[in-house]
Structure formats: structure tokens, C-alpha cells
Amino acid sequence: MHLGVDSFVAAVTDPTTGRRIGPEERMAHLLEEIALADEAGLYSFGIGEHHRSEYYDSAPPVILGAAAARTSRIRLNSAVSVLSAADPVRVYQQFATLDLISGGRIDLVVGRGSFTEAFPLFGLSLADYDELFEEKLDLLLRIRESEHVTWSGRHRPALTGQGVYPRALQDPLPIWVGVGGTPESFARAGLLGLPLMVAIIGGEPRQFGPLIDLYRRAGAHAGHDPQALKVGLHVFGFVAESTQAAADTVYPGWHEMFAKVSRERGFAPPSRAQFDATSGPDGAFFMGDPETVAEKLVRISAQLGGVHRVSLQMTNPRLAHADLLRGIELLGTEVAPRVAAEV
């Protein structure tokens, strides 16, 4: 099992001073975080894509390009690229270029996104939510297969043999499908033989077992090599010197994030009791000291039939830069070796 970090590059207010960290300083902090993850031996670092005022990650390829130039070993990925709202030609070109810059260290994780701001921003209809993704994923895979593409669809002008350049260093460029909890999404990824990145933001991870089994059965039915049917998890988590310290450090920012989303979507505001319950042994949050987090990772992987990669989403609008750096260091130097010894 490989471990990494995902970031949504949240705007941050320093919890000690109350000072709002400006976007330029936040970007500098982010690149320092990625460089430390590389030094600490983590496997991957991912950048999300959002088009909201509280995040600075609307252009992941630009951030990943800067990160590629400052790192040497760590794999870099989108988390996720909102393919439904993008042009697959440009997505491939951007990530193929990143692959060349990084020396073959790029993974492209594509999905539909958990927010909808990209659709009106780019003139798209939410009524086409599913069709957009399915059609654009088909084109992206065609481009990956061949530099000259003949293709037609409903949401983009046809291609009649034009070449798409540059080509990625990795052949093929790894393309993962990011999914939530829709059975059709798991089955589609399996039928296509693409690796799966499961976003788990609540409940219990073991509840995703039947959906992951569906993915693997669909892949086997389509004749794909089981080794190609990799499963990754995108989860919320944090590592500190103690489990109590991890929870106390992360909760204020977590509450701020989810209180805002709850207001927007008409849900009840989150509570500390909910947070603590979801951070427990069977909950979706991977929160605690290194031993606690490592044990949970090993246990959840076994429950899900083996997990290839887990990325902890550590973005937090009330998390001090120094605390985040320490969390990344502990994940790489304390948690990862424990997990490697067990799986």
C-alpha cells in the first residue's frame, strides 16, 4: 500500500494569530509541503480542482508543474480533474507535458467533482452531468491510445484524424477514475479496466466493500488483468504526536468547512460528537498518532480486499502551516514504514 497526501489548497487563517494567509504565501507554503512530502518518502501528492473562493486549486496543472520542478521522486496527481467541465484534448496535453517535466511521475485522476460551480462557469448544463463525463472520458482514452484521433460526440466538435501532442513519457499515461458512491461509476471503471480512486468522506470505509467487489467483478467480466484493477482511497485524515492532538488540531477547520457546505446544501451543521465518531476505529477519518493511523490503514485495506494507494486529504482552513508540515513528516517517516511492514 502506497501513502500520499491530497490538498485542495484551502485559504487558511492562522489559528494562533487570526491572520489570513494571502494566496501568494499560501502557494509558497503548498510547494514547501509538497517538497517535504518528497523528502519524507511519501509516494504521491495530489491537487484537487475547485472553482470556489475558499480554495486556490482551480488550475491543478500549473501547481503540479511547479511541484514537478521542485521534487525528484514523489508521484504527482490530480485529485480530481473535473473532466466533465474540461476539454479532453487540453487535459491530455497538459498532463502529458507534466509527465515530460516530471520524468514520468504523473497520474491523472478524473471525475465529476463533488461541487457543481464548474458547470455554469464553463457554460455547461447540470442536466448533462452523467453524459458529459462518459463522453469526455471516452475521448480522453482514445487520445491516450493514439496520437491521431477520429471521434465524434454531442458535447465537443468532432476530431477527424488530427494529432494530439506532446505524447506522455509513460505509455500509457496512468488514468484513474475518481468515484463517490454510485454503483454505475464503479462498474464503468471496471469495464474499462481503469484504476479506481474512491472518495470516502463519511460513514464507514468497509461499507464500500460491495461496490469495490462490483468494480472487480466488472473488470473480470470484461477480461481485464486483475493486476490492472487497482483500488485507491481518498480520505480525510491527519497525523500528530497523539490521537487527541490530531483531533484537537483539525476539528476547528473541519467544522468551518463542513458548516459552510451544510448551509449550502440544507443539512444540519456538524458537531464535535460526529467528528469524533467518524474518527473512531471504523469511521471514515484517518485521524491519530502514527501507530493508530497505520493500524487503521492496514485493517481497512484487509476489509476492502486490498488497497493499492491511500491519499490523506489534509486541507484545513484553520490548520497552521507548521502543524501541516509535521503531519506530512509523520505520515512519511512514521506511518508509511509501519504500513509497509504489515502489507
Side-chain angles (χ1 to χ4, degrees), residues 155-214:
H155 298 282
R156 188 202 186 279
L159 293 174
T160 56
Q162 295 93 331
V164 180
Y165 307 106
R167 306 305 296 177
L169 178 62
Q170 298 176 91
D171 185 16
L173 177 70
I175 296 176
W176 295 61
V177 177
V179 299
T182 306
E184 291 80 6
S185 297
F186 285 79
R188 176 170 52 212
L191 291 171
L192 292 171
L194 297 174
L196 186 76
M197 184 63 68
V198 186
I200 301 179
I201 60 174
E204 297 183 355
R206 62 186 174 188
Q207 295 173 327
F208 284 81
L211 291 170
I212 291 173
D213 288 343
L214 172 62

Side-chain angles (χ1 to χ4, degrees), residues 8-337:
F8 295 166
V9 200
V12 174
T13 298
D14 188 280
T16 302
T17 65
R19 181 175 69 91
R20 178 84 163 183
I21 306 300
E24 181 182 10
E25 185 178 2
R26 180 67 187 94
M27 284 294 179
H29 285 174
L30 173 67
L31 293 175
E32 186 180 350
E33 292 153 15
I34 299 172
L36 176 61
D38 189 35
E39 295 167 9
L42 285 170
Y43 182 76
S44 62
F45 202 108
I47 301 295
E49 179 187 340
H50 299 84
H51 302 272
R52 298 168 60 91
S53 61
E54 66 266 36
Y55 300 118
Y56 299 137
D57 62 350
S58 65
V62 179
I63 298 172
L64 292 171
R70 293 182 56 148
T71 56
S72 59
R73 296 174 298 175
I74 196 167
R75 294 193 67 82
L76 302 166
N77 60 271
S78 52
V80 300
S81 288
V82 184
L83 184 62
S84 305
D87 181 350
V89 173
R90 290 300 285 153
V91 170
Y92 181 85
Q93 289 175 327
Q94 289 164 348
F95 280 84
T97 302
L98 281 169
D99 204 43
L100 297 172
I101 293 170
S102 68
R105 292 185 285 125
I106 294 297
D107 292 291
L108 174 54
V109 185
V110 298
R112 292 177 290 189
S114 59
F115 293 98
T116 60
E117 286 82 4
F119 289 84
L121 183 64
F122 297 110
L124 302 168
S125 171
L126 279 172
D128 299 323
Y129 186 78
D130 292 317
E131 186 179 316
L132 279 164
F133 182 74
E134 187 170 355
E135 180 178 294
K136 291 186 177 186
L137 179 59
D138 175 63
L139 176 54
L140 180 64
L141 294 176
R142 298 277 195 94
I143 294 168
R144 183 176 72 161
E145 290 171 6
S146 175
E147 65 184 70
H148 293 280
V149 180
T150 299
W151 176 93
S152 64
R154 196 167 77 87
H155 298 282
R156 188 202 186 279
L159 293 174
T160 56
Q162 295 93 331
V164 180
Y165 307 106
R167 306 305 296 177
L169 178 62
Q170 298 176 91
D171 185 16
L173 177 70
I175 296 176
W176 295 61
V177 177
V179 299
T182 306
E184 291 80 6
S185 297
F186 285 79
R188 176 170 52 212
L191 291 171
L192 292 171
L194 297 174
L196 186 76
M197 184 63 68
V198 186
I200 301 179
I201 60 174
E204 297 183 355
R206 62 186 174 188
Q207 295 173 327
F208 284 81
L211 291 170
I212 291 173
D213 288 343
L214 172 62
Y215 161 72
R216 290 175 171 140
R217 291 199 309 272
H221 178 75
H224 296 296
D225 182 352
Q227 296 299 315
L229 301 174
K230 298 176 182 176
V231 174
L233 305 180
H234 164 94
V235 300
F236 186 79
F238 190 70
V239 188
E241 311 294 343
S242 70
T243 296
Q244 188 66 49
D248 291 345
T249 300
V250 168
Y251 176 73
W254 175 86
H255 182 271
E256 180 178 312
M257 284 192 300
F258 283 90
K260 181 173 184 177
V261 172
S262 296
R263 288 193 300 271
E264 292 176 356
R265 300 184 179 181
F267 302 148
S271 68
R272 179 62 189 257
Q274 289 174 309
F275 175 83
D276 289 339
T278 312
S279 301
D282 296 316
F285 298 165
F286 288 71
M287 198 81 55
D289 61 82
E291 184 175 359
T292 298
V293 173
E295 288 177 353
K296 186 169 183 176
L297 286 164
V298 172
R299 184 171 63 255
I300 297 301
S301 177
Q303 291 173 350
L304 298 178
V307 172
H308 177 77
R309 182 187 300 193
V310 179
S311 296
L312 271 64
Q313 200 285 99
M314 293 188 175
T315 295
N316 191 314
R318 295 280 172 178
L319 184 62
H321 178 52
D323 290 334
L324 181 50
L325 290 175
R326 181 58 175 157
I328 291 170
E329 181 181 24
L330 288 172
L331 184 64
T333 62
E334 298 287 340
V335 178

